[in-house]
Amino acid sequence: MKRMVYQRIVSCIVTGFIWIGVITFLLLPKKTFSEQENKELEQFPKISKEAILDGSFIEGLEDYLCDHFPLRNSFLNIKTQFEKFLGKQEVNEVYLAKDGYWIEKYKEPVNNEKVVRVFNSFADSLETAECYVMLVPTAITVYQDKLPDFVDGGRQEENRKYLMGQLTAHTIDVGGILEEYAAEYPLFYQLDHHWTGYGAYLAYRVFGERMGLTVREMEEYRISEVTDEFKGTIYSKVSDFLAEGDKITLFELPDQKLKVTYVDTGEVTDSLYNLDYLEKKDKYSLFLNNIHPLVEIENNEAQSQEELVIIKDSYANCFVPFLTEYYQKIYVVDTRYYRLPVSQLINENPKVKNVLILYNMNTIDTDLGVGGIY
Amino acid sequence: MVFSSIPFLFFFLPLFFLLYYLVPFRVKNYILLIFSLVFYAWGEPIYIFLMVLSSVIDYSIGRLMDYYDRVPWKRVCLLCASIFANLSILGFFKYADFFIETINSIANLSIPALNLPLPIGISFFTFQTMSYSIDLYRREVKVEKNFFTFMTYVSMFPQLIAGPIVRFSTVNQELHYRNIGFKGFYRGSFRFLQGLIKKVLLANQMGALWNTIQGQPYGEISVVTAWFGAIAFTLQLYFDFSAYSDMAIGMGEMMGFHYLENFDYPLFAKSVTEFWRRWHISLSTWFRDYVYIPLGGNRKGIGRQICNIAIVWFLTGMWHGASWNYILWGVYYGVLLILEKFIWGKALKKLPRILQHVYTFFIVVVGFTVFVFEDLGKLGQYAKQMIGMAGNHLAGTEFLYHFRNYGVLFLSCMVLAMPVYPWVMKRIVRLKQNWIGGMIKGGFVLGYVVLFVLVVAFLVSDTYNPFLYFRF
């Protein structure tokens, strides 16, 4: 009979928890967007005969309940802490790496052929400009030594070399310099999938030397830390409350006079940064004001009359600031949203002598913008 | 709907029990029936009619059998009709495509497949209703005159989709009168919680491990990893299946029903024969009572007995799914049971106990490796990796990585697959009423609460949470 007492206590506590869960769920206001996870939360599914019969109503209802569960973020964190406690080396496809880094896995590429085909036919279609391609290795390659023991992170680098060998355009290899300085500077964020200003600076050195520009030393920039609480996309995946935020560092040349035009919204500013994003979770968006199909950056005091077109993913957003002093005008194109042929923009504009395609290796395989390069 | 999900735990279950406890006794069965139908319709809105049809058939047959109580030939006909109807439903929805495929490949035809989705739980409810008709024919149970009560029996949601197979004789009386009180609620909910923890924190995690390992390209995993994976799957299946039974038995008890136990530490068995006395007990006793013994069991000579064992195990294999690997798996056990019975059973008993456990565990792991691959080509590949014929290494660092990720849980599962928990519990209960005893008991309570919070955390974050029985 004594056994019953403990069962009774456990049973009462758990029943109480469940009812508290039910009641708070019903009472709590429902959010539509989760900053923490950076995703739209599921809305209450529409009721219709079809939706009920094919099961999509029920599926939607289940997602709705999970997404709006009370203290959802805390539960996600509890799960991560428990998995760490069990000695797990990965959470949600992200490696728990050393020195506070969380490093995303590299998925076996399936679109290599498409990437090569698109890049090569694009390079061929350029009449007056030269095409350069920079494939940026990510943390899984550069910080391979920080990966958990027994994890082989070499696949991305293997594939980067393969892709570079297949391309007809000029390739710019920044792998060497990133690895050289990997221990010296934080080249990648610990909780976000992007590279830092330091990583972008090193890549700029390689690019600049290749293009015959006079490259600046790091000390020549005004370097400022604008936040140390950046918890980016990787943090959204792992929800580790114990993780400390990243610093975001800006590299600026103080007396540059720029005119930055966001063509889609028509907004014109004089800054490459939108510091309003520091108040939000996704702070990396401060570079070039997040996502725009086309951004035009003009500098009338530039070192040359030349213009540059950059076709890119978000890695370029913190890389572009290093180039503004050299080109009178830079077109930054996001082909996920830019609906016209980029080759037309280039071929109709004789001032554009060079085109840079910049992608990071971890998402190039699935990047929707690749299909938009023509 | 699965038990281990947020909608079930935080909406269906509390709402059901609130109503169930509030309404007067004579309405309770109706509440149970309505919720069971909603539960079933949750995943299968259309097939609910199939379950109702099956209930109508067996209910009517039961009434007729009762009406023609003194006409033996009519009773035989009615029994045959029931068996025919149930096996037809099962055969059509579960095995039609399998037969078509087999005929196509033998006779080189191309009859198009029906591609019917399998109604969830069909193998469970058809076996339940058949047991009713057969028991009625044998005069072992009384006829059920209230259709809704009968329908309640067939559709009762705790055991509807993943067993145990509850026979009518087990719950006959409790369908009409049962004790419902705090005691049953406490005991039942505690049992349910145990099942939930087993499913979410152990079975799902072993499943994730197995998924990672079997997803590796052919030839890339070492022999050790291949075995690690196979054992992980064995643990997953055991903890998953027995967790469902725990949850079913627990919820039954909360409602005042007493189902029979379905698992009794099968992985700890000392022989294959014993394994099957401890694994999915409701299924093996079903086949024993309704197939093996009626065929003559062991009373008609050795030849006949071997034949009967072969039939039963062929059917057991087939019951688990419409695919050759399940039949192979059934036959594998049939052969091993025959060998154990007639050749090495006695010698086995003389071995040291630990070797008997290892022998059984080995056979079970190999068996479940056959069980898990519906594609025999993939089974062949995996088997080659297990014996090092895939050009793979004996051991590699990738094993260390898997072990580091899942080692703690894996070892916990291995320990909990042995009857360690009841042994510890017995000692905790007997502890003296001093502060040490109090601390340990308090820790025990706290432990369960923490585990429950972890369960919710895993469910909310939508981690790997498979439902394994959609093939049954």
Side-chain angles (χ1 to χ4, degrees), chain B residues 76-188:
Chain B
V76 175
C77 286
L78 287 165
L79 175 66
C80 291
S82 162
I83 293 173
F84 179 77
N86 278 302
L87 290 183
S88 304
I89 292 174
L90 192 58
F92 182 72
F93 285 96
K94 188 167 172 183
Y95 299 103
D97 279 351
F98 179 58
F99 288 136
I100 289 173
E101 217 174 276
T102 312
I103 290 169
N104 281 348
S105 66
I106 292 172
N108 224 347
L109 295 170
S110 54
I111 310 169
L114 303 171
N115 286 326
L116 293 168
L118 184 69
I120 291 173
I122 189 171
S123 313
F124 292 101
F125 70 72
T126 49
F127 268 48
Q128 292 201 163
T129 52
M130 261 195 281
S131 84
Y132 168 69
S133 307
I134 300 172
D135 284 350
L136 201 59
Y137 176 78
R138 291 173 173 174
R139 300 182 197 282
E140 282 170 10
V141 293
K142 271 201 218 148
V143 69
E144 177 53 62
K145 291 194 169 150
N146 183 334
F147 173 70
F148 292 104
T149 308
F150 185 72
M151 185 78 224
T152 309
Y153 157 67
V154 177
S155 66
M156 238 188 285
F157 73 82
Q159 95 293 349
L160 180 60
I161 53 170
I165 301 168
V166 177
R167 294 196 207 168
F168 190 70
S169 52
T170 311
V171 289
N172 189 5
Q173 285 187 337
E174 285 171 344
L175 279 168
H176 296 277
Y177 181 75
R178 53 185 179 272
N179 267 319
I180 300 166
F182 284 115
K183 199 177 156 193
F185 178 80
Y186 295 140
R187 284 173 57 103

Side-chain angles (χ1 to χ4, degrees), chain A residues 47-232:
Chain A
I47 302 175
S48 73
K49 202 174 128 202
E50 293 77 32
I52 288 177
L53 286 183
D54 70 11
S56 64
F57 171 74
I58 297 298
E59 247 170 64
L61 189 63
E62 288 180 2
D63 290 341
Y64 174 77
L65 295 178
C66 275
D67 274 3
H68 297 278
F69 199 78
L71 301 177
R72 174 179 165 82
N73 293 341
S74 307
F75 278 116
L76 298 183
N77 175 44
I78 288 172
K79 176 184 164 263
T80 300
Q81 300 309 337
F82 179 62
E83 294 197 297
K84 277 163 77 176
F85 167 75
L86 290 176
K88 282 211 183 178
Q89 302 292 300
E90 55 178 272
V91 173
N92 269 349
E93 306 278 287
V94 183
Y95 291 119
L96 171 53
K98 292 159 195 156
D99 305 331
Y101 276 84
W102 287 89
I103 297 180
E104 281 182 300
K105 280 189 178 182
Y106 179 64
K107 293 208 182 73
E108 189 58 30
V110 289
N111 291 317
N112 272 347
E113 262 178 55
K114 179 187 160 198
V115 170
V116 170
R117 195 180 61 236
V118 168
F119 283 16
N120 285 350
S121 79
F122 176 74
D124 291 345
S125 73
L126 298 185
E127 290 156 13
T128 50
E130 289 292 310
C131 183
Y132 291 82
V133 177
M134 185 193 291
L135 298 177
V136 184
T138 67
I140 197 165
T141 296
V142 179
Y143 284 144
Q144 220 174 118
D145 56 331
K146 295 194 198 295
L147 288 176
D149 298 335
F150 317 122
V151 171
D152 175 21
R155 185 70 189 98
Q156 187 194 59
E157 187 59 4
E158 222 175 277
N159 198 47
R160 194 176 71 96
K161 295 232 163 81
Y162 166 80
L163 285 176
M164 291 205 303
Q166 297 290 309
L167 296 177
T168 52
H170 309 283
T171 55
I172 296 174
D173 188 352
V174 295
I177 197 165
L178 290 177
E179 278 179 41
E180 194 185 330
Y181 288 95
E184 207 163 319
Y185 301 111
L187 304 184
F188 293 88
Y189 296 109
Q190 299 182 333
L191 301 172
D192 190 71
H193 71 287
H194 293 104
W195 57 359
T196 61
Y198 294 98
Y201 167 77
L202 294 173
Y204 143 76
R205 287 195 71 107
V206 178
F207 176 80
E209 278 161 17
R210 182 70 178 276
M211 309 303 284
L213 313 171
T214 43
V215 175
R216 284 182 189 271
E217 292 304 314
M218 202 184 282
E219 298 76 48
E220 297 177 49
Y221 293 96
R222 188 179 73 196
I223 300 178
S224 56
E225 274 165 20
V226 287
T227 179
D228 57 359
E229 303 175 328
F230 175 38
K231 297 182 174 181

Side-chain angles (χ1 to χ4, degrees), chain A residues 4 6 8 11 18-19 22 52 58 61-62 69 72 75-76 79 86-90 95 149-151, chain B residues 7 9-10 14 42 45 186-187 189 193 205 397 400-401 404-406 408-409 441 454 457 460-461 463:
Chain A
M4 279 295 298
Y6 309 109
R8 195 157 80 199
S11 167
I18 288 179
W19 276 104
V22 175
I52 288 177
I58 297 298
L61 189 63
E62 288 180 2
F69 199 78
R72 174 179 165 82
F75 278 116
L76 298 183
K79 176 184 164 263
L86 290 176
K88 282 211 183 178
Q89 302 292 300
E90 55 178 272
Y95 291 119
D149 298 335
F150 317 122
V151 171
Chain B
L9 278 182
F10 284 88
W42 194 269
Y186 295 140
R187 284 173 57 103
S189 54
L193 178 64
Q205 291 299 306
T397 51
L400 294 174
Y401 183 69
R404 206 166 154 187
N405 274 314
Y406 289 99
V408 176
L409 285 170
K441 288 167 187 170
L454 286 172
V460 168
S461 64
T463 24

Side-chain angles (χ1 to χ4, degrees), chain B residues 249-286:
Chain B
I249 292 168
M251 287 188 290
E253 207 166 352
M254 289 163 82
M255 291 177 219
F257 290 101
H258 293 83
Y259 304 156
L260 301 177
E261 288 296 328
N262 207 21
F263 287 86
D264 181 21
Y265 295 98
L267 300 181
F268 192 63
K270 292 197 291 294
S271 66
V272 176
T273 317
E274 193 193 347
F275 170 78
W276 276 103
R277 277 203 297 269
R278 292 161 169 266
W279 175 276
H280 204 177
I281 300 166
S282 63
L283 181 73
S284 41
T285 52
W286 200 100

Side-chain angles (χ1 to χ4, degrees), chain B residues 181-451:
Chain B
F182 284 115
K183 199 177 156 193
F185 178 80
Y186 295 140
R187 284 173 57 103
S189 54
F190 189 75
R191 182 74 187 266
F192 178 82
L193 178 64
Q194 286 179 321
L196 189 66
I197 292 166
K198 266 163 102 172
K199 161 74 180 155
V200 177
L201 298 184
L202 299 177
N204 285 355
Q205 291 299 306
M206 287 300 101
L209 169 60
W210 162 243
N211 238 15
T212 328
I213 291 179
Q214 64 108 12
Q216 303 292 319
Y218 175 63
E220 303 240 318
I221 57 170
S222 62
V223 175
V224 175
T225 307
W227 279 94
F228 190 52
I231 296 174
F233 176 71
T234 303
L235 293 170
Q236 178 195 9
L237 197 60
Y238 164 62
F239 279 104
D240 202 288
F241 208 169
S242 70
Y244 264 100
S245 291
D246 286 337
M247 290 189 273
I249 292 168
M251 287 188 290
E253 207 166 352
M254 289 163 82
M255 291 177 219
F257 290 101
H258 293 83
Y259 304 156
L260 301 177
E261 288 296 328
N262 207 21
F263 287 86
D264 181 21
Y265 295 98
L267 300 181
F268 192 63
K270 292 197 291 294
S271 66
V272 176
T273 317
E274 193 193 347
F275 170 78
W276 276 103
R277 277 203 297 269
R278 292 161 169 266
W279 175 276
H280 204 177
I281 300 166
S282 63
L283 181 73
S284 41
T285 52
W286 200 100
F287 276 112
R288 185 193 68 202
D289 294 347
Y290 298 120
V291 182
Y292 183 71
I293 291 176
L295 284 174
N298 58 2
R299 292 158 296 159
K300 294 193 176 170
I302 286 183
R304 187 62 187 273
Q305 190 186 357
I306 291 177
C307 177
N308 291 342
I309 293 178
I311 292 173
V312 165
W313 290 95
F314 177 81
L315 292 175
T316 304
M318 196 148 168
W319 182 88
H320 285 83
S323 173
W324 282 107
N325 66 309
Y326 297 115
I327 295 175
L328 197 65
W329 175 75
V331 170
Y332 166 85
Y333 273 113
V335 170
L336 279 164
L337 286 166
I338 291 168
L339 289 173
E340 220 169 63
K341 200 150 257 157
F342 299 108
I343 314 252
W344 62 60
K346 279 185 186 143
L348 183 67
K349 284 214 170 77
K350 292 191 182 115
L351 286 175
R353 266 183 62 178
I354 177 93
L355 287 183
Q356 299 180 32
H357 289 300
V358 171
Y359 154 88
T360 312
F361 190 67
F362 173 79
I363 286 174
V364 171
V365 170
V366 172
F368 282 134
T369 311
V370 177
F371 185 89
V372 72
F373 287 103
E374 281 180 14
D375 180 339
L376 293 182
K378 281 195 182 147
L379 169 62
Q381 284 193 343
Y382 198 83
K384 274 189 186 168
Q385 299 186 107
M386 285 171 85
I387 52 175
M389 299 266 287
N392 53 341
H393 298 290
L394 181 63
T397 51
E398 99 285 5
F399 169 72
L400 294 174
Y401 183 69
H402 293 308
F403 194 78
R404 206 166 154 187
N405 274 314
Y406 289 99
V408 176
L409 285 170
F410 183 87
L411 294 177
S412 313
C413 285
M414 289 296 275
V415 170
L416 290 171
M418 296 185 268
V420 174
Y421 179 79
W423 185 87
V424 172
M425 271 312 292
K426 226 187 251 168
R427 271 147 193 83
I428 288 185
V429 173
R430 276 201 230 125
L431 283 174
K432 287 204 187 88
Q433 298 284 11
N434 56 20
W435 69 274
I436 300 176
M439 289 273 282
I440 292 175
K441 288 167 187 170
F444 168 81
V445 169
L446 188 67
Y448 266 100
V449 173
V450 168
L451 288 172

